[in-house]
Amino acid sequence: MRHGVKQPRNPWSDGPENITQCPIPAGKNFTYEVIFSTEEGTLWWHAHSDWSRATIHGAIVVLPPIGSSYPFSKPYAEHVIVLSEWYNGDVKQIIDYAMATGGDPNISDAYAINGQPGYPNNCSTGTSYRLSVQSGKTYLLRLVNAVMNEEMFFGIAKHNITVVAQDGAYIKPITTSYIMITPGQTMDILLTANQAPSYYYMTATPYFDNSAPFDSTNTSAIIQYTGSYTPPASPPYPSLPNVTDKDAADNFTTRIRSLASAAYPVNVPKKIDTRIIIAVSVNQILCPNSSCSTPTGNRLAASLNNVSFVTPKVDILQAYYRSLGKVFDKDFPNKPPYAFNYTGDVGNNTLYPSLGTKIRVINYGAAVEIVFQGTNVGNAENHPMHLHGFSFYLVGTGYGNYNATTSPKTYNLIDPPEVNTIGVPRKGWATIRFIADNPGVWFMHCHLERHASWGMAAAIIVKNGPTKETSIRPPPANLPTCS
């Protein structure tokens, strides 16, 4: 899957398993046709079957058009930095076992920067990733968070950094000592080598606002100045926020604004045609005789609007394109099944979701607003929600329950960030807007992999427009078949 590439009219090459294609069988191949449109900056690609994205991923760099340049001074050099995780076990076996027993999957054993766990992990202290820099030069770091289940803080000892883009779109520059980046997000960061020549640690640590098990380790790489000097016995380590520091996470994320210049304008929908409110929850599914491997004896699950997504045997796109019946239902609810104090003392409200393959049909060209309402059902935490096929504007976030009268008064409709993955605050809400101008089937899911596996997902279908040029392209000849 080409994460963040909109693939106009081409959902056939989007990639999610049994959503827009069936898996590629062993010994077979499928050639993806990747169509870029307005993206510019850093995106990434990853497998979208089970948990295979843990190791099958990489960066996509979209440079400015020929004859133009960045909306900032051209850096001396560019480097891709990928945050990921290291599992000592077989990742597929880990999730297969968790799904079979109903419990939480094993956590990762380490995080990694460009494949190396680095200090303080003894397994790679001698093989940490090293980035060589020259004094006085400015470097563009293209950061991808490919971590499976945790948001991350990131920073470089003794250096401030300047964030200039997120999710393939430029933003107003933010100079900071750290960032918070969710799984699925990318950020373009300027680093100026303006400290005394030496070694400095580049570090990522988790941000986790939940009581579930998580990988609490750190990962690091080394910024190494060129020149002649005595290397330090112990390079300085950045002081990053505490793992549960919600204020630090908010203090960074609330600063992000679109560049919104004449060259990079924004087009935020003002008059909304389709409004959807989605309650985001972690749930349970009853197991016979409380036989599942959890403290309650029930299976862990997750849901959107109290529907836990069931992956069909035939991909939804093919079923929709060929009018195949009994694959999905077109009744994903446009609001929670009933109202309650979502972020308060929820009791057993919607603890047990329904199961289904439900989609929401949206007219071509509609102006869409989706409000993601976090809930205190199950175990509340920050949810990075991702929608395929679109970049969208994050126009508002807040804590507590979304209020249809007062919450929109806090929206930023002037320069909201244009992104493809957003963090829904723990016990809070987030609102996105976009124009549904990309016909096809598009997956919408939490980018915490365990939550997606448990059913925190749905799909939208954007209907064809009135012309051939506003309709889904025909399927490729070698599309993988369903077994």
Side-chain angles (χ1 to χ4, degrees):
M1 175 227 156
R2 275 50 46 205
H3 185 115
V5 179
K6 291 184 275 290
Q7 292 279 23
R9 302 176 49 228
N10 188 34
W12 307 103
S13 286
D14 190 44
E17 176 181 30
N18 285 23
I19 306 299
T20 58
Q21 68 168 89
C22 290
I24 302 170
K28 303 293 184 180
N29 66 79
F30 175 61
T31 301
Y32 291 92
E33 182 179 7
V34 183
I35 301 175
F36 295 97
S37 52
T38 61
E39 306 89 352
E40 189 173 322
T42 306
L43 299 169
W44 65 302
W45 61 270
H46 61 79
H48 218 302
S49 176
D50 295 319
W51 276 28
S52 53
R53 82 166 178 87
T55 56
I56 305 174
H57 59 248
I60 298 173
V61 174
V62 184
L63 298 173
I66 294 174
S68 63
S69 188
Y70 303 113
F72 48 83
S73 297
K74 185 177 179 180
Y76 176 71
E78 304 182 11
H79 299 277
V80 170
I81 306 293
V82 178
L83 307 181
S84 61
E85 278 172 301
W86 183 280
Y87 289 85
N88 286 339
D90 183 300
V91 180
K92 188 175 189 311
Q93 288 182 2
I94 289 172
I95 185 57
D96 284 352
Y97 180 79
M99 296 302 289
T101 60
D104 236 330
N106 286 350
I107 62 173
S108 55
D109 295 284
Y111 300 107
I113 295 177
N114 284 359
Q116 294 291 342
Y119 176 85
N121 303 282
N122 290 331
C123 61
S124 70
T125 52
T127 57
S128 298
Y129 174 72
R130 293 170 182 260
L131 177 60
S132 179
V133 299
Q134 294 183 32
S135 288
K137 301 295 187 183
T138 296
Y139 297 82
L140 179 60
L141 307 183
R142 298 182 176 275
L143 185 68
V144 176
N145 187 359
V147 168
M148 299 288 280
N149 288 304
E150 290 88 9
E151 291 89 3
M152 304 296 288
F153 289 119
F154 172 89
I156 299 170
K158 306 290 187 181
H159 293 74
N160 279 338
I161 52 181
T162 301
V163 187
V164 292
Q166 180 179 347
D167 286 2
Y170 296 115
I171 65 172
K172 292 180 171 67
I174 300 171
T175 299
T176 178
S177 61
Y178 71 92
I179 66 167
M180 194 283 280
I181 183 169
T182 74
Q185 288 181 336
T186 65
M187 292 186 186
D188 292 5
I189 298 166
L190 295 176
L191 164 68
T192 298
N194 56 9
Q195 297 299 303
S198 187
Y199 292 2
Y200 299 89
Y201 276 121
M202 172 199 305
T203 301
T205 64
Y207 166 57
F208 200 79
D209 55 359
N210 181 277
S211 59
F214 74 100
D215 184 344
S216 60
T217 64
N218 300 346
T219 181
S220 67
I222 295 175
I223 301 291
Q224 182 173 323
Y225 279 65
T226 59
S228 179
Y229 57 88
T230 302
S234 179
Y237 205 77
S239 178
L240 294 179
N242 183 273
V243 66
T244 60
D245 195 337
K246 175 177 71 69
D247 290 340
D250 289 347
N251 287 343
F252 172 72
T253 57
T254 54
R255 296 174 65 187
I256 301 172
R257 298 282 187 273
S258 282
L259 192 56
S261 65
Y264 301 95
V266 298
N267 182 26
V268 187
K270 303 295 197 305
K271 184 174 181 248
I272 300 301
D273 303 307
T274 300
R275 182 172 281 107
I276 307 170
I277 301 176
I278 300 178
V280 183
S281 303
V282 174
N283 310 86
Q284 298 177 25
I285 295 174
L286 293 171
C287 293
N289 304 315
S290 300
S291 57
C292 286
S293 299
T294 62
T296 64
N298 296 331
R299 174 180 301 280
L300 292 172
S303 67
L304 298 178
N305 274 352
N306 208 38
V307 179
S308 187
F309 185 78
V310 176
T311 303
K313 300 296 183 185
V314 176
D315 65 277
I316 295 174
L317 175 57
Q318 186 172 185
Y320 169 64
Y321 190 81
R322 304 189 190 285
S323 299
L324 306 178
K326 300 182 180 180
V327 175
F328 59 87
D329 297 312
K330 298 180 180 179
D331 59 351
F332 181 82
N334 62 5
K335 63 181 180 179
Y338 61 95
F340 60 97
N341 183 8
Y342 304 107
T343 57
D345 183 5
V346 297
N348 280 341
N349 280 317
T350 64
L351 180 61
Y352 305 105
S354 62
L355 305 178
T357 307
K358 295 183 181 293
I359 58 92
R360 181 72 158 81
V361 179
I362 297 174
N363 289 330
Y364 179 88
V368 181
E369 177 179 282
I370 300 178
V371 178
F372 294 101
Q373 173 67 66
T375 76
N376 207 19
V377 178
N379 209 343
E381 68 178 283
N382 189 82
H383 296 285
M385 297 303 300
H386 173 55
L387 174 62
H388 294 229
F390 295 91
S391 292
F392 47 76
Y393 294 103
L394 174 62
V395 297
T397 61
Y399 285 98
N401 299 333
Y402 175 82
N403 183 293
T405 300
T406 60
S407 296
K409 294 178 181 179
T410 69
Y411 285 178
N412 171 16
L413 302 179
I414 305 300
D415 58 355
E418 185 178 10
V419 291
N420 60 61
T421 305
I422 53 106
V424 179
R426 182 177 187 264
K427 299 184 183 180
W429 55 269
T431 301
I432 67 171
R433 289 185 175 185
F434 62 96
I435 300 295
D437 55 1
N438 192 8
V441 174
W442 306 109
F443 202 28
M444 177 173 61
H445 62 94
C446 181
H447 225 280
L448 300 181
E449 217 58 27
R450 70 187 194 285
H451 289 175
S453 298
W454 293 343
M456 192 176 283
I460 66 171
I461 291 177
V462 176
K463 295 165 67 173
N464 283 338
T467 66
K468 180 180 178 181
E469 289 70 30
T470 57
S471 300
I472 299 174
R473 300 171 68 198
N478 65 332
L479 192 70
T481 57
C482 299
S483 56

